[in-house]
């Protein structure tokens, strides 16, 4: 790739991660539960508040990188790039939570509006990050590596992986609080809607981004 294309793709990756972080921050503010990949770090931040949700996100994603290393049995350059993105992602989440601290939906309807908005924002960020084609976030990369290791299609393994994360988050929530906190109906909504919204974005403008990048010089 030429220098201009490298700069463009890395810029897209950073913007995508920032937008994803905003989506997660919005889901946290909705108080209806966050996405499956963020459910464990968020519950841990509530139950053991020694670290922020961003801090736990960094640790959790680094563990996913280690998991890939164990499965692959070798350290590849893509794992190093994922480690870098781990820290960027975590710091962005904390910044976005701080940036929208003014947002405090009170009514159940208002919480749902913020929750749905988070799904649209998160899906948009994922699309931009994927289109950059620079690196994958550890969550998606781990699903790819594990699905190949057990010879299962990515699309079939992802729901199982996401469901496992939610179950662990639910158990942690019950252990810490005795009731569900951090994992609620919004988590289910995100699991269903984000993928559908991503498909809508792809059909609406995603292909235009692909065409632009292919012809970029």
């Amino acid at each position: 790739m030429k220098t201009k294309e490298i700069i463009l793709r890395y810029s897209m990756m950073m913007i995508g991660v920032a937008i994803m972080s905003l989506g997660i921050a919005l889901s946290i503010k909705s108080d209806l539960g966050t996405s499956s990949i963020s459910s464990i770090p968020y519950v841990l931040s509530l139950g053991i508040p020694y670290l922020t949700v961003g801090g736990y996100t960094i640790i959790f994603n680094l563990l996913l990188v280690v998991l890939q290393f164990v499965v692959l049995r070798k350290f590849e350059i893509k794992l190093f790039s994922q480690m870098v993105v781990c820290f960027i992602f975590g710091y962005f989440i904390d910044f976005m939570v701080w940036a929208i601290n003014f947002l405090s939906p009170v009514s159940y309807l208002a919480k749902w509006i913020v929750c749905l908005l988070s799904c649209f924002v998160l899906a948009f960020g994922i699309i931009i990050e994927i289109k950059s084609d620079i690196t994958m976030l550890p969550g998606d990369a781990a699903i790819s590596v594990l699905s190949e290791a057990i010879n299962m299609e990515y699309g079939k393994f992802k729901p199982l992986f996401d469901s496992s994360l939610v179950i662990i988050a639910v158990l942690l929530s019950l252990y810490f609080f005795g009731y569900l906190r951090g994992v609620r109906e919004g988590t289910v909504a995100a699991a269903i809607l984000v993928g559908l919204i991503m498909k809508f974005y792809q059909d609406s403008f995603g292909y235009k981004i692909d065409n632009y990048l292919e012809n970029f010089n």
Side-chain angles (χ1 to χ4, degrees):
M1 290 187 291
K2 296 181 179 179
T3 303
K4 288 184 178 180
E5 184 177 356
I6 292 175
I7 294 174
L8 173 62
R9 289 185 180 273
Y10 271 92
S11 298
M12 287 178 60
M13 186 269 289
M14 293 290 290
I15 292 171
V17 171
I19 295 174
M20 290 168 62
S21 302
L22 176 58
I24 292 172
L26 286 168
S27 69
I28 290 173
K29 285 296 181 178
S30 75
D31 197 31
L32 293 180
T34 186
S35 63
S36 58
I37 196 67
S38 299
S39 58
I40 293 177
Y42 183 43
V43 172
L44 286 173
S45 72
L46 296 173
I48 312 176
Y50 295 114
L51 293 176
T52 62
V53 62
Y56 280 113
T57 296
I58 292 172
I59 294 174
F60 178 67
N61 280 274
L62 286 176
L63 290 175
L64 291 177
V65 174
V66 172
L67 176 61
Q68 294 175 67
F69 172 72
V70 172
V71 174
L72 294 171
R73 298 182 180 179
K74 59 181 178 179
F75 190 85
E76 300 179 352
I77 188 64
K78 65 180 182 181
L79 297 182
F80 176 76
S81 62
Q82 288 177 39
M83 292 173 65
V84 174
V85 174
C86 283
F87 288 92
I88 297 173
F89 192 36
Y91 287 126
F92 266 144
I93 289 175
D94 282 344
F95 173 77
M96 292 300 179
V97 170
W98 170 81
I100 62 171
N101 191 48
F102 64 90
L103 190 63
S104 299
V106 178
S107 69
Y108 190 60
L109 176 60
K111 290 181 178 181
W112 263 113
I113 292 174
V114 175
C115 179
L116 293 176
L117 176 61
S118 74
C119 291
F120 279 92
V121 173
L122 179 59
F124 184 69
I126 295 173
I127 282 287
I128 299 300
E129 187 262 339
I130 290 176
K131 298 299 182 185
S132 71
D133 197 27
I134 293 298
T135 186
M136 298 176 70
L137 285 173
D140 294 324
I143 294 173
S144 178
V145 169
L146 291 173
S147 62
E148 290 182 9
I150 64 175
N151 196 27
M152 181 182 289
E153 292 181 12
Y154 180 95
K156 293 182 179 179
F157 183 74
K158 180 173 170 48
L160 296 177
F161 183 83
D162 289 346
S163 298
S164 299
L165 297 183
V166 172
I167 291 172
I168 294 173
V170 166
L171 294 175
L172 287 172
S173 181
L174 293 175
Y175 174 77
F176 289 134
F177 312 110
Y179 61 92
L180 291 182
R181 185 181 178 192
V183 187
R184 291 181 52 184
E185 55 268 41
T187 304
V188 178
I192 297 172
L193 294 177
V194 171
L196 295 175
I197 297 171
M198 285 177 61
K199 185 177 184 307
F200 168 74
Y201 285 156
Q202 174 62 29
D203 295 340
S204 300
F205 61 82
Y207 67 94
K208 295 181 180 179
I209 297 177
D210 292 331
N211 292 336
Y212 177 78
L213 290 174
E214 288 178 3
N215 299 313
F216 184 81
N217 52 56

